[in-house]
Amino acid sequence: MLRALARRAVSLALSLVAASVVIFAMLQAVPGDPAAFMLGLNARPETVAALRAELGLEGGLVERYASWVAGMVRGDFGTSYTYRVPVADLVADRIGVSAPLALYALVLTVAVAIPVGLLAAASRGGPADWGVMGATQLGIAVPNFWFAMLLVLLFAVTLRWVGAGGFPGWDDPVAAMGALTLPAVSLALPQASILARVLRGAVLDTLEQDYVRTARAKGLSRRAVVVRHALRNAMIPVLTILGLQFSFLLAGAIVIENVFFLPGLGRLIFQGITQRDLVVVQSVTMLLVAAVILVTFLVEVAYAAADPRLRRR
């Protein structure tokens, strides 16, 4: 098992290197000069050249790529063109919003998807199954930004239970969690729908296995068979989806963070793109890719924990 995980770790490290090359190359291909953009149309050429040198934009592509990677390895992500502060400080400030939001949405996803998926599987072909399948299909089809605006209209504008946006900070944890609730629900709706359908299908496949028939022949109730036997063996595809979903929730909340004016990493990337702050965009994107790869590796470890057969490979 350790050898297999070591091979997987090497493979993921190579993926990280490939991702860094792609991210750097794509952002270098963006037309325009960030220094000229910052100084405006009337800037003198020598002033633009001095700012380019200050921002580290001089030199060849290979030299700049090597400098960027070496800096990231040392924990130096560069200095933001716009904010004129280290990108690491910006990330440290914004991750305090994005990470709790992603975890909150993931908890909501699991809390809703597992009982709903099990209910649909246990009542296959019945009214509950049809109801769950219809509701989850609707949850997948509805765009989460549109659903987010509906939540704002209902709970912030009409009922006035929560604010329409913004983040008060963690000095008041109750107010902070209240500000993250509607964004987390918006993010969790489609993910819970997907996970519930995957779980239902996996449980139904497991229920067709011989050992499950044996368990039924011993007199176990259908509920006990589903919970004790089918759920555990259906966790492999569920873990795969959970790993992908956490990555999406962490990296894909750009729209939701902008709908609710949350100062997270997604909003930081959006601001970096609009302000042509390439250092921020490429560094934050690289960090998110690294987070996705790390989560993928942890899912591999979870596979081995869930399925003893994988530990012997």
Side-chain angles (χ1 to χ4, degrees), residues 25-41:
M26 290 183 66
L27 289 177
Q28 296 305 313
V30 174
D33 186 340
F37 178 81
M38 292 173 62
L39 294 173
L41 298 176

Side-chain angles (χ1 to χ4, degrees), residues 127-183:
D129 187 21
W130 282 102
V132 168
M133 295 303 288
T136 53
Q137 184 62 52
L138 184 63
I140 295 172
V142 173
N144 59 2
F145 69 87
W146 184 78
F147 182 63
M149 289 187 284
L150 287 184
L151 292 178
V152 169
L153 287 175
L154 177 60
F155 293 103
V157 177
T158 303
L159 299 176
R160 298 180 182 276
W161 288 356
V162 294
F167 186 71
W170 289 105
D171 293 337
D172 185 350
V174 175
M177 293 303 293
L180 294 181
T181 296
L182 294 186

Side-chain angles (χ1 to χ4, degrees), residues 242-263:
L242 273 178
L244 295 174
Q245 287 183 329
F246 183 74
S247 304
F248 171 81
L249 293 172
L250 185 60
I254 295 176
V255 175
I256 295 300
E257 287 185 0
N258 279 281
V259 169
F260 289 97
F261 297 101
L262 294 175

